[in-house]
């Protein structure tokens, strides 16, 4: 097939790719966006039906395009987010080609790239990889050989009706695992929740949402080198009006907490010790955050009411004080396992020397050592907000300026 030549190729048609197109159009820079599926495909096919966005409506935005809403303090459902992305695409009107998969990207000279696609080869002087941070569902080897047990990653979980009868084990207590576990419990399922290291923060404090506090404290602008030792995002939820995730409350409501699942002997799972320590460490992070907020109120002289209930700690339930060390799936009538164990990146299709030993791009603010190759939308790419819908636009503007300078 003939080789098509374009100045800039953007790979990915989610919010990052759309935002990149918007910034390039603002600068009059010709480009093409390729999307393997539909616009915002992962929102459409890799999220569960009952998902609620974790950010309140007032904080949801894309560049030059705020989220329409009637309740600023409410939390959007999945359909509203998909509609928002579609509306943003109509606003940007990107030169996008959907249903085109990039099979391989290689550097063909010191000043250009060739993308082998399902529609033929494309040569580009600049390439922006905007495929997001959630590309490859991580599935542990535990129970991998049990072909009869219903198992699904959170990316492919849809709703409680998808699961066979019986109790459910949810492995992973981040934002997805916590929200799915609560949804299943409210649907009448008996739920076991495996909890490892996690970060606990208040949904609201002293009358304001967590996202307001993050903006006030400048945390969204924190740089990667300021990140600190905690490497997991907080377990927060917008479901059921939005509330603080407290696993002790989950246990009081009837969800059985477990430590980390470390091995399986048939359908008997070995559970690591340390559940109480994980909760205590999360409590410390939570208390430290409240102290930061209180210090901010005092230093700025803000007139915000006290919130003593936020510091009330529930007692440890019996599943924490007397932790389960073995879980027999058959004896507990567990018919399904949901792996809410996170995601990794997958850039095996990129043949350029810009990755570390774990396959993670080596970049600074999205700029790599290979001239003309950029990344957008990665976690902590330039700052904490880099992978968030409200933060990707700033990084895209910087990259668009870089591309303009090269042009």
């Amino acid at each position: 097939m003939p080789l098509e030549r374009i100045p800039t190729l953007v790979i990915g048609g989610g919010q990052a790719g759309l935002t990149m197109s918007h910034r390039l159009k603002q600068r009059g820079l010709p480009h093409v966006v390729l999307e393997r599926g539909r616009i915002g495909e992962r929102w459409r096919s890799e999220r569960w039906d009952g998902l609620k966005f974790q950010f309140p409506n007032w904080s949801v935005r894309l560049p030059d395009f705020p989220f329409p809403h009637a309740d600023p303090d409410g939390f959007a459902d999945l359909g509203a987010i998909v509609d928002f992305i579609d509306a943003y695409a109509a606003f940007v009107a990107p030169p996008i080609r959907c249903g085109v998969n990039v099979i391989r990207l290689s550097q063909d000279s010191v000043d250009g790239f060739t993308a082998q696609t399902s529609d033929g080869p494309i040569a580009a002087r600049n390439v922006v990889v905007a495929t997001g941070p959630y590309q490859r569902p991580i599935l542990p080897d535990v129970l991998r050989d049990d072909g009869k047990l219903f198992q699904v990653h959170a990316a492919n979980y849809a709703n409680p009706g998808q699961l066979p009868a019986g109790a459910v084990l949810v492995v992973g207590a981040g934002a997805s695992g916590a929200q799915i576990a609560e949804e299943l419990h409210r649907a009448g399922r008996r739920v076991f929740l495996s909890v490892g290291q996690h970060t606990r923060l208040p949904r609201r404090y002293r009358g304001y949402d967590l996202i307001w506090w993050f903006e006030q404290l400048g945390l969204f602008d924190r740089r990667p080198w300021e990140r600190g030792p905690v490497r997991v995002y907080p377990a927060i939820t917008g479901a059921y009006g939005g509330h603080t995730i407290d696993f002790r409350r989950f246990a009081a409501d009837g969800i059985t907490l477990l430590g980390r699942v470390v091995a399986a002997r048939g359908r008997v799972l070995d559970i690591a010790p340390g559940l109480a320590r994980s909760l205590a460490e999360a409590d410390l992070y939570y208390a430290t955050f409240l102290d930061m907020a209180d210090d901010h109120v005092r230093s700025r002289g803000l007139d915000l009411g006290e919130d003593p209930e936020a510091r009330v700690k529930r007692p440890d339930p019996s599943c924490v004080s007397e932790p389960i060390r073995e879980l027999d799936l058959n004896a507990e009538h567990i018919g399904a396992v949901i792996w809410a164990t996170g995601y990794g990146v997958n850039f095996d299709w990129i043949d350029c020397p810009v990755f570390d030993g774990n396959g993670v791009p080596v970049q600074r603010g999205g700029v790599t050592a290979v001239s003309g190759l950029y990344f957008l939308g990665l976690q902590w790419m330039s700052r904490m907000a880099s992978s968030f819908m409200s933060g990707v636009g700033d990084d895209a503007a910087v990259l668009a300026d870089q591309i303009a300078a090269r042009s």
Side-chain angles (χ1 to χ4, degrees):
M1 298 181 66
L3 181 66
E4 180 183 5
R5 296 184 180 278
I6 59 174
T8 298
L9 177 64
V10 179
I11 302 174
Q15 63 259 25
L18 295 174
T19 300
M20 192 70 238
S21 180
H22 182 45
R23 296 305 196 197
L24 292 170
K25 289 184 73 175
Q26 287 177 324
R27 290 156 179 78
L29 298 173
H31 62 283
V32 168
V33 182
L34 300 183
E35 164 56 45
R36 64 184 174 88
R38 297 163 291 180
I39 288 174
E41 181 61 47
R42 286 197 168 93
W43 284 102
R44 301 175 192 276
S45 59
E46 298 181 19
R47 304 291 186 269
W48 68 97
D49 300 344
L51 178 145
K52 288 285 188 176
F53 203 48
Q54 300 167 358
F55 285 55
N57 292 334
W58 61 261
S59 68
V60 182
R61 56 189 176 272
L62 285 165
D64 306 311
F65 202 77
F67 179 66
H69 58 78
D71 178 9
D73 295 317
F75 297 88
D77 60 22
L78 178 59
I81 294 297
V82 171
D83 289 346
F84 177 56
I85 293 173
D86 280 343
Y88 184 64
F91 165 72
V92 173
I96 190 168
R97 303 174 189 174
C98 292
V100 180
N101 185 36
V102 178
I103 301 165
R104 185 171 180 267
L105 178 70
S106 58
Q107 188 178 18
D108 59 14
S109 70
V110 295
D111 196 34
F113 304 87
T114 298
Q116 300 294 339
T117 83
S118 55
D119 268 7
I122 296 176
R125 186 160 189 260
N126 308 288
V127 175
V128 181
V129 180
T131 52
Y134 307 120
Q135 300 162 14
R136 178 178 55 85
I138 296 174
L139 282 168
D141 289 332
V142 179
L143 296 173
R144 186 181 295 274
D145 296 329
D146 192 329
K148 295 184 178 180
L149 178 66
F150 185 94
Q151 303 182 62
V152 65
H153 190 273
N156 301 116
Y157 166 74
N159 54 62
Q162 172 194 18
L163 309 182
V168 183
L169 169 62
V170 180
V171 181
S176 295
Q179 193 176 143
I180 290 171
E182 187 172 16
E183 175 179 278
L184 291 166
H185 173 70
R186 287 175 177 245
R189 294 299 188 102
R190 186 179 179 215
V191 178
F192 294 80
L193 178 62
S194 173
V195 179
Q197 182 190 25
H198 62 283
T199 302
R200 190 163 82 88
L201 289 175
R203 176 72 271 179
R204 299 179 183 89
Y205 184 55
R206 300 183 74 155
Y208 287 89
D209 188 84
L210 176 67
I211 304 305
W212 184 88
W213 283 108
F214 265 55
E215 290 185 349
Q216 290 293 307
L217 296 171
L219 297 180
F220 284 136
D221 292 325
R222 183 171 287 181
R223 299 296 182 174
W225 54 87
E226 301 172 317
R227 185 175 183 180
V230 177
R231 297 295 175 181
V232 290
Y233 282 117
I236 59 176
T237 181
Y240 316 110
H243 59 82
T244 299
I245 291 178
D246 182 347
F247 292 125
R248 294 183 181 87
R249 182 186 65 78
F250 275 30
D253 290 344
I255 294 175
T256 302
L257 305 181
L258 310 167
R260 291 186 303 106
V261 175
V262 292
R265 291 170 284 112
R267 288 195 175 178
V268 177
L269 302 183
D270 293 332
I271 309 300
L275 174 59
R277 183 176 67 251
S278 293
L279 295 181
E281 290 174 351
D283 290 341
L284 179 60
Y285 195 91
Y286 176 91
T288 299
F289 180 83
L290 298 188
D291 291 343
M292 288 175 59
D294 289 342
D295 288 345
H296 181 78
V297 170
R298 283 191 293 270
S299 66
R300 300 296 177 91
L302 302 179
D303 184 18
L304 300 182
E306 298 287 340
D307 192 354
E309 290 188 7
R311 293 185 180 269
V312 173
K313 177 184 173 183
R314 293 175 178 267
D316 282 345
S318 59
C319 58
V320 175
S321 57
E322 300 174 13
I324 296 170
R325 294 299 308 278
E326 290 185 350
L327 182 68
D328 188 326
L329 302 184
N330 291 335
E332 299 293 350
H333 306 289
I334 293 174
V337 177
I338 298 175
W339 298 100
T341 41
Y343 299 80
V345 295
N346 181 12
F347 295 117
D348 293 347
W349 49 277
I350 300 179
D351 185 17
C352 294
V354 293
F355 302 101
D356 64 15
N358 296 316
V360 177
V362 177
Q363 48 76 36
R364 189 174 181 87
V367 181
T368 73
V370 173
S371 182
L373 180 59
Y374 309 95
F375 288 83
L376 180 65
L378 299 178
Q379 292 180 337
W380 285 91
M381 196 180 78
S382 71
R383 57 196 182 108
M384 183 183 183
S386 286
S387 61
F388 300 155
M389 190 174 289
S390 59
V392 70
D394 292 337
D395 287 338
V398 172
L399 297 186
D401 286 341
Q402 292 264 350
I403 292 169
R406 275 176 54 80
S407 299

